[in-house]
Amino acid sequence: MFKRASLMFLYTETPLHAGSGTSLGVVDLPIQREKYTDFPVIQASGIKGAVREWFEFKFTDNSSRRKIELAFGPDKIGSEESGFAAAATFTDARILLFPVRSLKGIFAYCTSPTVLERFRRDAQIAGVALDWTVPTPSGDQTVLGVESGSDVAAGDQVLLEEYAFGFRGDDKVTAIANWLSQHAVPAGSEYAFWKSKITKSLLVLPDNAFRDFVKLSTEVQARIKIDNDKRTVVKGGLFYEEALLPDSLLYSVVLAHDPVKDDRAELADAAAVLTFLRGIDGQRLQLGGDATIGRGIVSVRFYSKQEKQSEQQKEGQGNG
């Protein structure tokens, strides 16, 4: 059983193709999706491999390599005696915010009650207490946005793609937007604009509308295979590939166990494992396929309790 846990947020900076293999549908190479919701997802095995690769590239000394082995498991298992379980576990990365083209404000960060309620449940696993509640739109034709200052609403309406929705401001959405801006969006100075945009562009859609957008508004590119000798397109070499859009926000729950090996000189317990994994906080990863054409660059952020406590202390000092 895990002893420590945290939330790890993944913000896509380029299209991300976490493929699920070939398909007989219109899209030849679709992305990974949850079976029962059709929401985009990045399977845990892909995340664990990419995170491990980042650590192996970053740290090459013997001490760090031992930590990597204890945290992620042995790279090769030569015999039954030499194998052991990893001390780190990653859950599938679930969608939290999905960008949808808006007539006003370029695009809106969209989510839904089901997505937010599930995030609340997962945050509980990680020991993160959320100080906001989930609002529910009234009907399938109304979306909820921030209470004031929305940059995607025109009066009482919002136009997403070619679909018009009624708009209503809600202070619960404002609270969610502020929390995400402070704790989920990457903290670097290059993200100042995006942190601000979430506080103006967040929309809570009806569940059915959100499911349709994440299913039908992803990026689908036509690609071809070239015959190197003839310099022409190979017959039957046209294929369509799907990708998750840039400016999507996903999250994974990272769980840490005590290392199972007796030799724990480098990583003593679950707390040390989680501290080691936090080394990737604020860094960039490459996830999924098509790395050579710039796909799959994501920025990583771990939820920080210390940051939350620091903010509360400042508020307390201000009140005093």
Side-chain angles (χ1 to χ4, degrees):
M1 186 65 180
F2 67 91
K3 293 186 174 180
R4 296 296 178 97
S6 185
L7 291 171
M8 181 176 74
F9 296 97
L10 303 170
Y11 191 98
T12 62
E13 297 185 346
T14 63
L16 192 156
H17 176 74
S20 61
T22 57
S23 167
L24 297 177
V26 176
V27 178
D28 299 288
L29 299 174
I31 60 174
Q32 297 165 1
R33 293 181 179 276
E34 294 174 338
K35 184 69 175 178
Y36 71 112
T37 64
D38 248 348
F39 294 170
V41 68
I42 305 173
Q43 293 173 357
S45 58
I47 297 173
K48 183 181 176 184
V51 173
R52 177 176 189 142
E53 181 186 39
W54 183 89
F55 276 97
E56 289 181 339
F57 178 78
K58 186 75 174 179
F59 303 106
T60 56
D61 58 283
N62 289 335
S63 174
S64 296
R65 295 192 71 82
R66 183 57 178 163
K67 290 180 181 177
I68 292 170
E69 193 171 51
L70 291 171
F72 296 95
D75 193 23
K76 296 180 181 178
I77 301 177
S79 64
E80 187 174 340
E81 289 75 17
S82 64
F84 58 90
T89 298
F90 297 83
T91 66
D92 291 346
R94 291 172 162 172
I95 192 76
L96 184 54
L97 298 180
F98 183 79
V100 177
R101 180 163 54 95
S102 169
L103 181 65
K104 187 170 182 288
I106 308 298
F107 75 89
Y109 287 103
C110 296
T111 186
S112 82
T114 295
V115 170
L116 292 171
E117 288 288 3
R118 195 167 61 170
F119 175 67
R120 286 186 63 85
R121 186 180 64 192
D122 291 339
Q124 185 69 27
I125 296 174
V128 178
L130 302 176
D131 56 2
W132 44 262
T133 57
V134 179
T136 302
S138 57
D140 282 344
Q141 299 302 316
T142 301
V143 302
L144 302 177
V146 294
E147 192 170 27
S148 63
S150 174
D151 68 350
V152 294
D156 59 354
Q157 285 206 320
V158 170
L159 189 63
L160 300 174
E161 299 283 358
E162 63 271 29
Y163 302 101
F165 293 89
F167 174 85
R168 185 165 64 83
D170 191 305
D171 58 353
K172 294 178 182 176
V173 180
T174 303
I176 295 169
N178 290 335
W179 191 94
L180 292 173
S181 175
Q182 294 172 14
H183 301 291
V185 178
S189 58
E190 72 273 25
Y191 272 91
F193 172 83
W194 310 103
K195 292 165 75 73
S196 173
K197 180 168 177 61
I198 279 188
T199 63
K200 297 179 288 187
S201 303
L202 182 65
L203 294 177
V204 178
L205 273 56
D207 283 322
N208 291 335
F210 181 80
R211 179 198 58 206
D212 291 344
F213 279 122
V214 298
K215 187 174 182 179
L216 303 173
S217 297
T218 53
E219 182 174 303
V220 177
Q221 283 191 357
R223 299 183 61 188
I224 56 173
K225 182 179 180 181
I226 298 292
D227 186 315
N228 289 333
D229 297 326
K230 298 178 180 178
R231 302 291 182 184
T232 58
V233 178
V234 174
K235 187 177 181 179
L238 172 66
F239 62 95
Y240 292 90
E241 184 179 80
E242 185 182 26
L244 187 63
L245 297 172
D247 295 306
S248 299
L249 180 66
L250 304 98
Y251 69 93
S252 170
V253 181
V254 182
L255 310 171
H257 323 254
D258 289 338
V260 297
K261 297 290 286 183
D262 292 335
D263 173 19
R264 297 184 187 176
E266 303 298 341
L267 286 179
D269 53 22
V273 172
L274 198 55
T275 299
F276 177 63
L277 294 175
R278 283 181 179 276
I280 202 169
D281 185 24
Q283 305 297 318
R284 288 182 172 86
L285 281 180
Q286 194 281 322
L287 287 173
D290 296 331
T292 57
I293 56 174
R295 297 289 181 93
I297 298 176
V298 302
S299 187
V300 180
R301 180 170 184 184
F302 269 76
Y303 176 81
S304 171
K305 286 183 178 179
Q306 288 76 13
E307 185 176 274
K308 178 73 174 175
Q309 290 169 350
S310 176
E311 289 176 2
Q312 291 174 338
Q313 287 171 356
K314 288 180 181 178
E315 290 175 2
Q317 291 170 357
N319 293 334

